Amino acid sequence: MKNVTMHKHFILDGFSELGVLRPVLFIPFSIMFVVSLSANSLLLYVVVSQRSLHSPMCILIAGMACVDLSVPVFWVPHMLLSFLFDWRGISLIGCLVQMFFIHFVETFQSTLLVWMALDRYFAICKPLTYHEQMALPTFLKFIIPLVVRNFIMVTLFVSLAGTLSFCASNVMNHCFCEHMALVQLACGSTAINNLVGLMTALLNVADFIFITASYIVIFSSVLKSGKSGAKTLHTCVTHIVVITVSLTITLVAFLSYRIRNGLPAAVRVFFSTMYVMFPSCFNPIIYGIRTAEIRKHILKTLRR
């Protein structure tokens, strides 16, 4: 191993198959970046500035806007510069730091959806105890374990990735430091890294199973009560749409790196970037349109 170079610097070579057309990607991705920043900033401003929107659900939506506002900042500017000026390099430390923040903040998307499902459950199935259950001291018992879980799992797989030796190649076919994209460049056993990455993904799947079960209980409760479910369906369908889109894109991106398939490399990179980027553009628009109280204040703000 004495004559083998251990790489400490990597090349983010996503979409290299496009050749001279690669700089053209600056246009759609910069548009998505601007939409993400402006839409989430507007949603966050409206919720924070309007006292009437300081309900638990609207606060959770504002939390989702914070997540969606933060995630692109960690990697999109670097990607856009690489499209324009071919700046593709990143150090191992920089890669691990970027990986930690992207994946840690990303875990809050599924966690926030869990909290939203709990909010709807207490509001619809346990209305008499809603304010008691959603009070901050009580609600913290639901929040803290999930945050601690996210921090431990992300710290674990990022730390394990940092202990690997990279002697095969330093070219990463990706636009940001995604965990599996880096691990695949290691020379040596990566079984533990794959296992921890899979466990982290399964925890997110467990979140979605819990969310699905919550909405089944909610709809079952509405049907048994004999009351009209139209309002409940309208309240919950926003979360169901967001969950479905997020889970579909995430699963495609996850499986494309772990199951042998005939997908072109550019398609795998596209899905991997979309599972991080698309929710940041999609979520604020959906929440802003489908949540009547927020939509009213957004329109009022835009008319000023």
Side-chain angles (χ1 to χ4, degrees), residues 5-42:
T5 301
M6 296 298 177
H7 300 295
K8 297 293 182 183
H9 188 270
F10 297 90
I11 305 298
L12 293 171
D13 204 33
F15 298 113
S16 59
E17 299 83 359
L18 297 180
V20 295
L21 294 178
R22 189 172 182 268
V24 177
L25 292 176
F26 175 85
I27 298 173
F29 277 103
S30 61
I31 291 173
M32 292 182 69
F33 186 49
V34 170
V35 169
S36 173
L37 294 182
S38 57
N40 284 293
S41 298
L42 176 62

Side-chain angles (χ1 to χ4, degrees), residues 7 28 73 77-78 96 115 127 135 144 147-148 153 169-170 186 214 223 226 238 250-251 253 276 284 293-294 296:
H7 300 295
V73 172
H78 184 276
L96 294 173
W115 299 340
I144 293 176
V147 174
V148 172
M153 293 306 298
S169 172
N170 69 335
S214 299
L223 292 174
T238 301
T250 301
L251 283 177
V276 181
E293 299 90 342
I294 295 177
K296 180 179 69 175

Side-chain angles (χ1 to χ4, degrees), residues 220-245:
S220 176
S221 176
V222 171
L223 292 174
K224 287 180 180 178
S225 67
K227 298 177 182 178
S228 173
K231 186 176 180 180
T232 302
L233 183 62
H234 180 79
T235 304
C236 297
V237 74
T238 301
H239 312 310
I240 295 172
V241 169
V242 170
I243 292 164
T244 302
V245 173

Side-chain angles (χ1 to χ4, degrees), residues 29 32-33 35-37 39-40 43 61 63-72 75-76 105-110 112-113 176 208 241-251 253 270-288:
F29 277 103
M32 292 182 69
F33 186 49
V35 169
S36 173
L37 294 182
N40 284 293
L43 179 58
I61 290 175
M64 184 69 80
C66 284
V67 170
D68 292 334
L69 187 63
S70 302
V71 172
W75 65 280
V76 174
V105 177
E106 269 287 301
T107 58
F108 277 96
Q109 287 192 337
S110 64
L112 281 164
L113 290 171
F176 63 90
F208 285 112
V241 169
V242 170
I243 292 164
T244 302
V245 173
S246 299
L247 182 59
T248 301
I249 297 176
T250 301
L251 283 177
F270 174 76
F271 277 109
S272 294
T273 54
M274 282 300 100
Y275 97 81
V276 181
M277 190 70 186
F278 187 72
S280 296
C281 301
F282 178 79
N283 291 348
I285 295 172
I286 291 297
Y287 286 124

Side-chain angles (χ1 to χ4, degrees), residues 164-221:
L164 294 172
S165 298
F166 303 96
C167 58
S169 172
N170 69 335
V171 178
M172 197 183 311
N173 195 2
H174 216 297
C175 292
F176 63 90
C177 284
E178 200 270 341
H179 176 244
M180 283 306 300
L182 178 65
V183 168
Q184 286 179 343
L185 300 180
C187 50
S189 175
T190 60
I192 295 178
N193 304 81
N194 291 328
L195 178 61
V196 174
L198 180 61
M199 288 173 57
T200 305
L202 289 176
L203 287 176
N204 284 332
V205 172
D207 287 347
F208 285 112
I209 292 173
F210 176 85
I211 292 166
T212 302
S214 299
Y215 284 119
I216 290 174
V217 171
I218 290 169
F219 290 131
S220 176
S221 176

Side-chain angles (χ1 to χ4, degrees), residues 80-122:
L80 294 178
L81 290 173
S82 76
F83 289 155
L84 279 185
F85 305 111
D86 209 33
W87 296 350
R88 308 189 193 197
I90 189 169
S91 67
L92 177 59
I93 296 299
C95 184
L96 294 173
V97 170
Q98 186 188 71
M99 183 191 302
F100 175 83
F101 282 109
I102 289 174
H103 287 287
F104 181 59
V105 177
E106 269 287 301
T107 58
F108 277 96
Q109 287 192 337
S110 64
T111 300
L112 281 164
L113 290 171
V114 169
W115 299 340
M116 289 178 181
L118 284 171
D119 176 273
R120 292 300 85 199
Y121 171 77
F122 289 128

Side-chain angles (χ1 to χ4, degrees), residues 44-79:
L44 191 58
Y45 168 77
V46 168
V47 174
V48 171
S49 63
Q50 301 297 325
R51 185 175 292 273
S52 61
L53 296 179
H54 291 180
S55 64
M57 176 53 70
C58 289
I59 291 173
L60 289 173
I61 290 175
M64 184 69 80
C66 284
V67 170
D68 292 334
L69 187 63
S70 302
V71 172
V73 172
F74 294 121
W75 65 280
V76 174
H78 184 276
M79 180 183 68

